[in-house]
């Protein structure tokens, strides 16, 4: 197969830039697509060529498969990288791309199809003896039979949309008497959100960890894993903080999970980069959840601990090359933590915030990587995912990575918009995170908005006390009061400190 010369990135924001950077290092020309809301976006400025594909809503722009393929033909593009989200897990798109004679930098349409359905995925891995969460193996059609099954599995149970994703399409049922009502809601939600009403039941594991394995496969049947990422700190079943390696896996469990992940990939003749997700209980028993057939948001932590550029490897694979390393060539070096900087307000249920990045100053220095798609003065568009940036810290060990992350969060200056930075700073210092003894219930167990409400640091408390004493003295002596200029310096620096720390 000839080398790729011109790559269209069918995405926006940080991931579009991320992909273009690797392409550029490989001497590949890039084409960006953008919506009218993204005219001035960084991915549009970075690329060699750019085409506007439509108005802001993604179903009129970033999701227009036929239009994107037509642009590829017009511009002589020979490959498409879909990033994550949007068309990345759309089997029809992958098929159409290939039929148009363009290479899809991702797996086969068949693999996307099988793994895009959580039920089909479980059926596909059946012959490989992969541990599954107890539950129904097929879509529920007979509600009384399903209720009986739920009773046998034991409450609480989880009703899940087979086509669900992004933390959506899940309902916890605590008690048997709520079963029918929750079932009705789950089916209609699945139908309206994913166009597919198929739902199934899983035992709800009360306090699991989310640990996933990165895999890479080529067109020649070789598959390797690149160890794990732990993504247990979540809100709304969606990740906010990820790290590699996990603080709790033993070499034996790591090896067993790696082999299970390779088998899941084998079950769908996988090629490209993919992620096999598991939930893990207190005894480190692991259960297969689903496979994501694309580059994952949190892929940088794996890149930092393995030294592998995953996007480059995806491109090499799409060019038909055999994997450039074997399992024995891979090893974990150091530790990496990623925090997702979302335009969300942690003191208001993590609801998305909108507005302008009035101040936007990135952290720098040893062991810090920032993947973002914004600059100071830009607006966060309401049409897309509210993620501003991914901040990654890496070090020789977990403590160094954690200390670097704290230092970087303190250096990060964002004003004009609420972000998850203060929440992430809180997590870095929390005893449960520090010790590694945490699970997907971290936010429910430990987080309340008041932990972010302007903590008064000791130094300022002392300063305030000293000032009070001084004022009293001055009053007593009826001498000149403190000048207003002095006061404004004090309050100004206090405000600045608070903004820097918790913005
Ligand atoms: P990751 O799975 O890469 O760790 P997320 O779960 O946050 O990260 O999902 C990545 C992106 O893909 C997000 O923008 C999310 O909204 C989107 N996404 C994932 N699955 C779906 C889906 N089935 N439908 C719509 N969007 C999805
Ligand atoms: P999505 O496609 O939305 O990513 P997943 O099946 O990967 O759906 O689940 C997302 C998150 O929901 C998991 O990381 C975990 O926190 C929670 N979850 C999923 N299944 C279970 C379960 N059976 N028990 C407890 N938590 C679960
Ligand atoms: Mg998932």
């Amino acid at each position: 197969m000839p080398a790729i010369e011109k790559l269209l990135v069918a995405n926006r924001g940080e991931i579009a830039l991320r992909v273009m950077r690797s392409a550029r290092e490989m001497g590949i020309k890039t084409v960006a697509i953008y919506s009218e809301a993204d005219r001035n976006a960084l991915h549009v400025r970075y690329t060699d060529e750019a085409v506007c594909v439509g108005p802001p809503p993604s179903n009129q722009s970033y999701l227009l498969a036929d239009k994107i393929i037509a642009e590829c033909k017009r511009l002589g593009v020979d490959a498409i990288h879909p990033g994550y989200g949007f068309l990345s897990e759309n089997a029809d798109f992958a098929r159409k791309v290939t039929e148009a004679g363009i290479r899809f930098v991702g797996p086969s349409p068949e693999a996307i199809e099988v793994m895009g359905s959580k039920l089909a995925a479980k059926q596909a891995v059946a012959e490989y003896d992969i541990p599954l969460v107890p539950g129904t193996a097929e879509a529920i059609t007979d509600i009384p039979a399903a209720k009986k099954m739920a009773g046998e599995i034991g409450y609480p149970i989880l009703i899940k949309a087979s086509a669900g994703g992004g933390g959506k399409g899940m309902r916890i049922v605590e008690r048997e008497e709520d079963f029918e009502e929750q079932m009705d809601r789950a089916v209609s939600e699945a139908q309206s959100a994913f166009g597919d009403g198929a739902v199934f039941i899983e035992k709800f594991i009360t306090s699991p960890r989310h640990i996933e394995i990165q895999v890479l496969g080529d067109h020649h049947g070789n598959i390797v894993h690149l160890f794990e990422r732990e993504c247990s700190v979540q809100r709304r079943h969606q990740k906010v903080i990820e790290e590699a390696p996990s603080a709790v896996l033993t070499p034996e469990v790591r090896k067993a999970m790696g082999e299970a992940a390779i088998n899941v990939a084998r079950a769908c003749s996988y090629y490209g980069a993919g992620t096999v997700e598991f939930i893990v209980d207190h005894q480190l028993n692991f259960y297969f959840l689903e496979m994501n057939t694309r580059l994952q948001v949190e892929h940088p932590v794996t890149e930092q601990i393995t030294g592998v550029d995953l996007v480059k490897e995806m491109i090499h694979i799409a060019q038909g090359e055999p994997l450039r390393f074997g399992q024995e060539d891979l090893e974990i070096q150091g530790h990496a933590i990623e925090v997702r900087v979302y335009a969300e307000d942690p003191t208001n249920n993590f609801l998305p915030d909108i507005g302008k990045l009035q101040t936007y100053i990135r952290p720098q220095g040893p062991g810090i990587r920032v993947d973002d798609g914004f600059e100071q003065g830009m607006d966060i568009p309401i049409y897309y995912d509210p993620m501003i940036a991914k901040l990654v810290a890496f070090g020789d060990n977990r403590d160094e990575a954690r200390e670097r992350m704290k230092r970087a969060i303190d250096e990060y200056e964002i004003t004009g918009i609420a972000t998850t930075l203060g929440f992430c700073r809180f997590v870095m210092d929390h005893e449960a995170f520090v010790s590694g003894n945490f699970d997907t219930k971290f936010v429910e167990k430990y987080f309340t908005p008041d932990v972010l409400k302007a903590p008064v640091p000791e130094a300022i408390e002392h300063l305030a006390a000293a000032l009070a004493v001084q004022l009293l003295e001055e009053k007593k002596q009826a001498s000149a009061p403190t000048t207003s200029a002095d006061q404004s310096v004090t309050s100004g620096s206090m405000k600045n400190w608070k903004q820097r720390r918790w913005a």
Side-chain angles (χ1 to χ4, degrees):
M1 257 192 263
I4 291 168
E5 285 173 15
K6 203 179 202 184
L7 177 75
L8 181 139
V9 183
N11 217 297
R12 64 180 297 282
E14 67 89 15
I15 197 61
L17 271 168
R18 162 73 196 88
V19 171
M20 287 172 189
R21 289 197 158 110
S22 288
R24 184 164 289 182
E25 288 174 23
M26 295 172 83
I28 298 171
K29 292 263 178 271
T30 59
V31 179
I33 59 168
Y34 63 96
S35 74
E36 284 160 15
D38 279 338
R39 265 182 205 291
N40 300 315
L42 294 189
H43 77 281
V44 179
R45 286 195 232 155
Y46 188 88
T47 189
D48 298 302
E49 284 172 84
V51 275
C52 182
V53 285
S58 45
N59 61 4
Q60 295 169 45
S61 52
Y62 293 106
L63 290 172
L64 295 180
D66 293 330
K67 182 156 192 179
I68 293 168
I69 293 170
E71 288 297 343
C72 286
K73 289 192 168 158
R74 189 174 68 83
L75 296 169
V77 164
D78 50 16
I80 295 182
H81 194 301
Y84 56 70
F86 297 126
L87 294 166
S88 62
E89 291 172 280
N90 183 318
D92 287 339
F93 178 65
R95 198 168 282 125
K96 279 183 180 169
V97 169
T98 317
E99 281 167 7
I102 301 161
R103 272 171 283 180
F104 183 72
V105 183
S108 67
E110 294 76 24
I112 298 176
E113 215 143 56
V114 171
M115 293 298 157
S117 153
K118 294 188 205 289
L119 276 170
K122 291 186 191 214
Q123 284 151 17
V125 305
E127 64 182 284
Y128 286 93
D129 208 19
I130 309 286
L132 304 178
V133 184
T136 52
E138 270 154 42
I140 291 163
T141 45
D142 179 343
I143 303 223
K147 190 171 177 181
K148 188 159 169 278
M149 184 85 177
E152 283 159 19
I153 294 168
Y155 288 86
I157 57 124
L158 197 57
I159 305 176
K160 270 189 178 180
S162 182
K168 298 182 187 82
M170 275 180 254
R171 287 200 156 258
I172 301 170
V173 190
E174 305 276 357
R175 303 169 312 163
E176 189 166 27
E177 52 268 41
D178 300 336
F179 187 82
E180 281 91 353
E181 191 194 332
Q182 295 294 352
M183 195 68 184
D184 278 351
R185 288 199 194 169
V187 172
S188 67
E189 274 172 13
Q191 188 62 49
S192 64
F194 309 108
D196 174 359
V199 300
F200 63 100
I201 294 173
E202 254 177 25
K203 178 158 186 62
F204 182 69
I205 314 278
T206 329
S207 296
R209 303 176 76 109
H210 173 117
I211 301 181
E212 58 188 33
I213 305 281
Q214 174 72 52
V215 298
L216 277 177
D218 64 18
H219 288 264
H220 312 277
N222 305 303
I223 306 175
V224 297
H225 73 83
L226 291 91
F227 315 106
E228 80 277 10
R229 292 184 287 259
E230 161 122 32
C231 319
S232 295
V233 182
Q234 306 182 343
R235 44 98 184 78
R236 293 190 287 269
H237 303 301
Q238 263 194 313
K239 306 154 185 169
V240 221
I241 299 180
E242 300 101 342
E243 64 181 314
S246 158
V248 291
L249 282 202
T250 61
E252 294 72 34
V253 178
R254 174 171 296 123
K255 187 160 179 280
M257 288 181 76
E259 282 164 7
I262 288 175
N263 280 331
V264 170
R266 219 176 277 299
C268 60
S269 308
Y270 201 81
Y271 51 79
T275 296
V276 181
E277 298 191 330
F278 297 93
I279 49 180
V280 178
D281 70 15
H282 293 304
Q283 282 93 44
L284 298 185
N285 297 307
F286 58 88
Y287 306 93
F288 171 57
L289 269 188
E290 64 159 349
M291 180 172 191
N292 292 327
T293 55
R294 55 174 163 87
L295 191 63
Q296 203 103 348
V297 174
E298 58 276 18
H299 75 277
V301 292
T302 300
E303 297 188 320
Q304 298 307 148
I305 61 152
T306 58
V308 172
D309 179 326
L310 287 167
V311 174
K312 273 187 194 158
E313 297 312 322
M314 291 176 86
I315 293 173
H316 284 297
I317 292 165
Q319 292 181 152
E321 296 168 46
L323 284 183
R324 303 186 308 155
F325 39 77
Q327 192 64 55
E328 62 290 349
D329 301 317
L330 293 164
E331 61 174 14
I332 299 176
Q333 293 238 339
H335 197 99
I337 303 176
E338 170 181 288
V339 307
R340 298 194 193 183
V341 186
Y342 280 105
E344 285 180 0
D345 185 358
T347 64
N348 186 19
N349 254 324
F350 291 89
L351 284 178
D353 194 23
I354 48 164
K356 193 184 281 299
L357 289 169
Q358 249 130 27
T359 321
Y360 186 73
I361 301 168
R362 300 175 185 92
Q364 293 181 333
I368 297 303
R369 164 175 173 180
V370 182
D371 284 23
D372 67 7
F374 292 99
E375 267 180 355
Q376 187 159 297
M378 284 184 172
D379 287 306
I380 310 291
I382 52 168
Y383 304 98
Y384 319 109
D385 196 89
M387 195 172 75
I388 302 170
K390 303 184 309 205
L391 169 59
V392 183
F394 44 100
D396 275 347
N397 52 50
R398 190 167 187 264
D399 274 338
E400 187 176 48
R402 219 169 37 76
E403 292 300 333
R404 282 203 164 131
M405 180 60 84
K406 284 159 57 181
R407 187 263 294 167
I409 292 175
D410 291 347
E411 281 180 27
Y412 220 141
E413 282 193 55
I414 304 179
T415 63
I417 216 158
T419 79
T420 43
L421 272 177
F423 165 76
C424 295
R425 181 70 169 75
F426 160 77
V427 176
M428 288 303 125
D429 258 345
H430 193 281
E431 185 278 321
F433 187 78
V434 175
S435 67
N437 182 20
F438 61 98
D439 54 47
T440 56
K441 289 279 162 307
F442 184 96
V443 172
E444 280 111 306
K445 275 190 200 154
Y446 307 120
F447 179 69
T448 51
D450 30 290
V451 302
L452 299 187
K453 294 230 170 86
V456 181
E458 233 174 280
I460 290 181
E461 249 169 22
H462 289 162
L463 187 68
L467 268 175
V469 171
Q470 193 190 334
L471 279 171
L472 261 175
E473 286 294 309
E474 282 167 354
K475 217 173 164 185
K476 264 197 237 158
Q477 293 167 16
S479 59
T482 320
T483 66
S484 58
D486 280 347
Q487 281 172 359
S488 76
V489 167
T490 312
S491 65
S493 60
M494 243 178 105
K495 187 160 156 256
N496 200 11
W497 185 91
K498 259 196 301 197
Q499 270 179 354
R500 291 169 66 96
R501 203 166 151 82
W502 300 117

